[in-house]
Amino acid sequence: MAAPPGEYFSVGSQVSCRTCQEQRLQGEVVAFDYQSKMLALKCPSSSGKPNHADILLINLQYVSEVEIINDRTETPPPLASLNVSKLASKARTEKEEKLSQAYAISAGVSLEGQQLFQTIHKTIKDCKWQEKNIVVMEEVVITPPYQVENCKGKEGSALSHVRKIVEKHFRDVESQKILQRSQAQQPQKEAALSS
Amino acid sequence: MSLKPQQQQQQQQQQQPAAANARKPGGGGGLLTSPAAAPSPSSSSVSSSSAAASSSSSSSVAAASAGGGRPGLGRGRNSSKGLPQSTISFDGIYANMRMVHILTSVVGSKCEVQVKNGGIYEGVFKTYSPKCDLVLDAAHEKSTESSSGPKREEIMESILFKCSDFVVVQFKDMDSSYARRDAFTDSAISAKVNGEHKEKDLEPWDAGELTTSEELEALENDVSNGWDPNDMFRYNEENYGVVSTYDSSLSSYTVPLERDNSEEFLKREARANQLAEEIESSAQYKARVALENDDRSEEEKYTAVQRNSSEREGHNINTRENKYIPPGQRNREVISWGSGRQNSPRMGQPGSGSMPSRSTSHTSDFNPNSGSDQRVVNGGVPWPSPCPSPSSRPPSRYQSGPNSLPPRAATPTRPPSRPPSRPSRPPSHPSAHGSPAPVSTMPKRMSSEGPPRMSPKAQRHPRNHRVSAGRGSISSGLEFVSHTPPSEATAPPAARTSPAGGTWSSVVSGVPRLSPKTHRPRSPRQNSIGNTPSGPVLASPQAGIIPAEAVAMPVPAASPTPASPASNRAVTPSLEAKDSRLQDQRQTSSAGNKENMKPNETSPSFSKAESKGISPIVSEHRKQIDDLKKFKNDFRLQPSSTSESMDQLLNKNREGEKSRDLIKDKIEPNAKDSFIENSSNCTSGSSKPSSPSISPSILSNTEHKRGPEVTSQGVQTSSPGCKQEKDDKEEKKDAAEQVRKSTLNPNAKEFNPRSFSQPKPSTTPTSPRPQAQPSPSMVGHQQPTPVYTQPVCFAPNMMYPVPVSPGVQPLYPIPMTPMPVNQAKTYRAGKVPNMPQQRQDQHHQSTMMHPASAAGPPIVATPPAYSTQYVAYSPQQFPNQPLVQHVPHYQSQHPHVYSPVIQGNARMMAPPTHAQPGLVSSSATQYGAHEQTHAMYACPKLPYNKETSPSFYFAISTGSLAQQYAHPNATLHPHTPHPQPSATPTGQQQSQHGGSHPAPSPVQHHQHQAAQALHLASPQQQSAIYHAGLAPTPPSMTPASNTQSPQNSFPTAQQTVFTIHPSHVQPAYTNPPHMAHVPQAHVQSGMVPSHPTAHAPMMLMTTQPPGGPQAALAQSALQPIPVSTTAHFPYMTHPSGEACVCRGRRAPQSILLAQVEWQAGPALQAPHLRTSKTRQSVHSRDCDDQFSVRA
């Protein structure tokens, strides 16, 4: 399996390889550590988001068929300083989200519900699971199957706002499905995403 | 739940079945522990809660250390890594910056870890170790079946994947710029946006039915920007129940204007309207308004290539219809208006840019007509200019004023009034009260406000001086120049005064500081020159500025004296002086002297003008002009009396001589009278000089009356005020008016209370001179302390001689007006005119001081004030002496000397005064030798000293004298002065000084007091002491001032003093204790014996002074030395050393120290003189306070 490449990778090079799981990987070299045989690649975002990218950390010990598609001689761009505290807080929130999501899932919430919850949570932090119901801002309660008409609460700006979110969520989900079906149509995808 | 991968690599997994694989009960101590555990079989996969908790960075570090700790535990590790690294340096991937960067940037992101057995674990990437062991928080194994998310029980707190255990780690949808610190920089934002926003599809706009629509136009024409406030309020109220408390009247922030039909209000309103007209009629204003109200769009103005001239702007159309006009040129057109206007009026005439501005400003105030443009300029530029280059500008203004008649007249008078008094006040007063009112207001303001008021006075004086200067500017200027010391001294004083005025105004505006500094510098120069070359000094101080200063100097003088009157008179003089203006500018100092002299004359006229001045500004101008003419006549008349001395002076300065002569005549008469009759005579004489005809008698009467009053109260302040009071009365009145807003008369009345008759007289015709004569007040002081009065008289006489440099006298008058009330009057009894000037100077100084004290600059400012005061005093003194012996000197150089002395600043003046004592005791000649001014002072001082005037002398001698007096008064009448007209001025000044500029003014006062005390101790000795004290004091003064520029001048002054009174000084110095450090030897030798106690103070003073001198030395060590020359030099040097210390700390501190010392000195001296004691005590207290503060 392990076929440690005896060569170095220069940052910016396009590299292709195949893992022990027979998975083909390709991307731009971001970093490479010889001692640990770790290769970091940057690949186009799997979700198609233009400004995002997938980062792969590959253990070359379990990779074969490593080949450099094209080498890059230019010096890589300087590294930007990172806001560690921001990253740390992100890690914390991500963890909490996942745990809360898991909690909801463990309660038997449907996938749609989970997705809706995540969507709402992106916009409104003040939302939580109450059994299988999503409670937003302590005012609006969304009960399964989590459709727009399931949003209940005191009539007001909050309810209408949540309804808009829910409505948009399912619209996006639909578009997502369409996109997945016809991946060739990237533009639509983007449009849907952007919208 | 496939354990395979883990099992393969990790024993622990084996131990812990599947699901549990990742989960580890309470994590170890953290990554460190985890790593450590990792080595051990049991902890193959470590999930430590603690690790999760730990921050990525810390954890990573921990991991790193951990990594270091465990060499090749992992399978893959052993082979690949196998690099146990003991060093602190980064190990493993930690040494790979790019790897660290990329991994760190994905911290906190969700990731999927594919292990060797194909299982995929998803979690939040927490951290990594140097060996690339990864920690995932809230991780769970992803089931192949894409079902819902993990269940709570499936999630493990955290999992540690050894680098050898995973094949690929995938981070999805990473935003590379997420964690960038520069996320909010333009580049970062734009980069992000550019990436995210693919160009939106542009859609053609379909106007639909609105094609032609009015609606569209309506939209375009809808100027409303957002919501109407009322709509917002309504909306908030309806939707949120928020009720606005907004009150359109802003009653919470403003006080509604109470309209009434009172004369005061009408005057003020008229004044306000006038000012508004002036401002609105100014080219600059129009230009700026045009800029603001330009309908053209930014594009039209700056970027559009306009080809259709017709539709757009007239500019383009008119000149260059279809041509493209560069934006820059377009602007130029607009700008040109303002600049042209500004330049055109007085600026050009003044010659100095700064001058014009001031002049304009002043003129605007005083001369409505001429002033308008300039005013505008002033409004915009003038003040600012003063601020920037206070000294230079003030001088420039004054100079310019002198040089350019129009500017002078207009600028000097008004500027002072305005600057001092807040813009609003001056206007009202000027208009309502005419010149007098302004003057009075100015003084009052000065007193009340301190600097401002001072400035007004100073300005007034300057104007007077200017006028005189204008007349004799050439000659005087030449003389001054030639005699640099005298002329400069005078000029400096004048300049100072004027600067003070400017400064004051500037101070008010913020400029003061600068002006003070400039003044100081000048003073230093003067000091340096003072010894000889006040002129040089001036020049030197002005060095870069020299011209300006010179000009400024003259101007100041002119401005000071002319002040309000000056403006009017100044104009006339200026006309006369026009020819001389050029010379004047150079001779500025001389001009200043002349101007000062004139101011004295003018002051009367002003007073008259004021009395007349009820009419609006125009009337004021006319009055002023008339007054000026009258004054000229008067001056001439006076000159006739003092023609002899004047003649001498005339040799140097024609008109200046005339004015000087007038002054001299006045002074001489005064001096003579004073000498003969003591204070009463002096007062009368002074009164005569000041306001030749009317005021004199009245003044004399009032003065006499006042004198008694003053004596009773604290003669100096109140009584002195008497003489000066007349002038001061006007000023005070003005000030009072300003303060009270009441008309001059009311103030005058107030002042009158103390010197009942006086105030009125002064206010009316003679006010200036009367004030000058305020000598009445002086007389009053004299009465209290006959000696003083006499000395004062002498001083006045001296002052009058000083007039030799018209500027000087004018200055005095001006000072007198302000100063007069308290000290000036008393002193001025003889010197009344001078006193006023001195007071003004003091005020100026005080003002200066205040500014300085207020801000760092204060010191500088104070020095100027002192300098001015001193100058004023010195002039007076000079006049006295000159009359007697030094008249020639004065004539020839006295002005210069005075100016130098003045420049030397208060200290110089003080020295002179002291010197005078010394001269008296020893010989005026000495003083004369050193500096005629000093000699002159010495003479006056001597009389004073001999008689009792010590205090007076002090006041006179030192510019601070006024302050001293004020202080004395303060002590005596601590604050009574304030209440009382006469007292008020000084008292206010003192109070101001004390209060606002406690440290600075106190110092001077203290010094002066000390000096006075010394004088008191033994007339001659005192004189000597004074000299010594003065010398010391000057030093002290200088120190304070020196800290900035003034000190230099002071040092010189001190030095001069020392030189002058070496013998005397020595006695004074005998005080060696004080002097000990410095000089002591010289001074001590003489001084010690005579006035140990006093000397002690003196010593302190000296020591402190040295500090000042030193500072000066430091700044311009040479100057001081030259001045002091031999003996003094030692002092200077020593002082310098001491001073250096002080300076090292801070100029202010040094000043304070000096003050303290001075105070101490006074305390010692106190024994000699009760008054002095009281004062000293007060001073000492102040000093203590100061010390405490300083400490």
Side-chain angles (χ1 to χ4, degrees), chain B residues 845-1170:
Chain B
Q845 292 176 348
S846 65
T847 57
M848 294 301 288
M849 293 300 289
H850 293 287
S853 64
I859 297 169
V860 175
T862 57
Y866 289 104
S867 64
T868 57
Q869 292 178 348
Y870 287 105
V871 174
Y873 289 104
S874 64
Q876 293 176 347
Q877 293 174 350
F878 288 100
N880 293 339
Q881 292 178 348
L883 292 175
V884 177
Q885 294 176 345
H886 298 281
V887 172
H889 295 286
Y890 287 103
Q891 292 175 343
S892 64
Q893 295 177 341
H894 290 290
H896 299 288
V897 174
Y898 291 114
S899 63
V901 174
I902 294 168
Q903 292 175 345
N905 294 340
R907 293 179 184 176
M908 291 303 291
M909 293 303 290
T913 56
H914 296 289
Q916 291 175 348
L919 292 174
V920 174
S921 64
S922 64
S923 66
T925 57
Q926 292 177 345
Y927 288 93
H930 294 287
E931 293 179 354
Q932 292 175 347
T933 57
H934 293 289
M936 294 301 289
Y937 290 106
C939 294
K941 291 178 180 177
L942 290 175
Y944 292 104
N945 293 337
K946 290 178 181 178
E947 292 177 354
T948 51
S949 41
S951 63
F952 290 93
Y953 286 104
F954 285 95
I956 296 167
S957 64
T958 57
S960 62
L961 289 179
Q963 295 177 343
Q964 290 178 347
Y965 287 105
H967 291 291
N969 294 338
T971 59
L972 296 176
H973 307 283
H975 299 283
T976 55
H978 299 285
Q980 295 176 346
S982 64
T984 55
T986 55
Q988 291 175 344
Q989 292 175 347
Q990 291 175 347
S991 65
Q992 292 176 345
H993 293 288
S996 64
H997 307 285
S1001 63
V1003 174
Q1004 293 177 346
H1005 292 289
H1006 293 292
Q1007 293 176 348
H1008 292 290
Q1009 291 177 348
Q1012 292 176 350
L1014 294 174
H1015 293 289
L1016 294 174
S1018 64
Q1020 292 177 345
Q1021 290 177 346
Q1022 290 176 346
S1023 65
I1025 294 168
Y1026 280 92
H1027 296 293
L1030 292 176
T1033 55
S1036 64
M1037 294 301 290
T1038 54
S1041 63
N1042 286 346
T1043 55
Q1044 299 175 344
S1045 61
Q1047 292 176 347
N1048 293 334
S1049 64
F1050 287 103
T1052 57
Q1054 293 175 348
Q1055 291 176 348
T1056 58
V1057 174
F1058 285 91
T1059 58
I1060 293 168
H1061 304 284
S1063 63
H1064 298 288
V1065 171
Q1066 290 175 347
Y1069 287 94
T1070 52
N1071 299 315
H1074 302 287
M1075 296 304 290
H1077 297 287
V1078 184
Q1080 327 132 319
H1082 301 284
V1083 176
Q1084 290 174 347
S1085 65
M1087 294 303 288
V1088 173
S1090 63
H1091 305 282
T1093 58
H1095 294 291
M1098 294 304 291
M1099 293 303 291
L1100 293 176
M1101 295 301 288
T1102 57
T1103 56
Q1104 294 175 343
Q1110 291 176 347
L1113 292 174
Q1115 296 174 345
S1116 63
L1118 296 177
Q1119 294 177 346
I1121 295 169
V1123 175
S1124 64
T1125 63
T1126 60
H1128 296 288
F1129 287 97
Y1131 288 91
M1132 293 304 290
T1133 57
H1134 295 288
S1136 64
E1138 296 174 351
C1140 290
V1141 175
C1142 295
R1143 291 180 179 178
R1145 295 175 184 175
R1146 282 184 184 179
Q1149 293 178 348
S1150 65
I1151 295 169
L1152 293 174
L1153 293 174
Q1155 292 176 347
V1156 173
E1157 290 176 355
W1158 288 89
Q1159 293 175 348
L1164 294 175
Q1165 293 174 348
H1168 298 286
L1169 296 177
R1170 293 179 182 177

Side-chain angles (χ1 to χ4, degrees), chain B residues 15 404 409 417 574 702 750 764 836:
Chain B
Q15 295 175 350
S404 62
S417 65
S574 64
T702 57
E750 291 177 354
T764 59

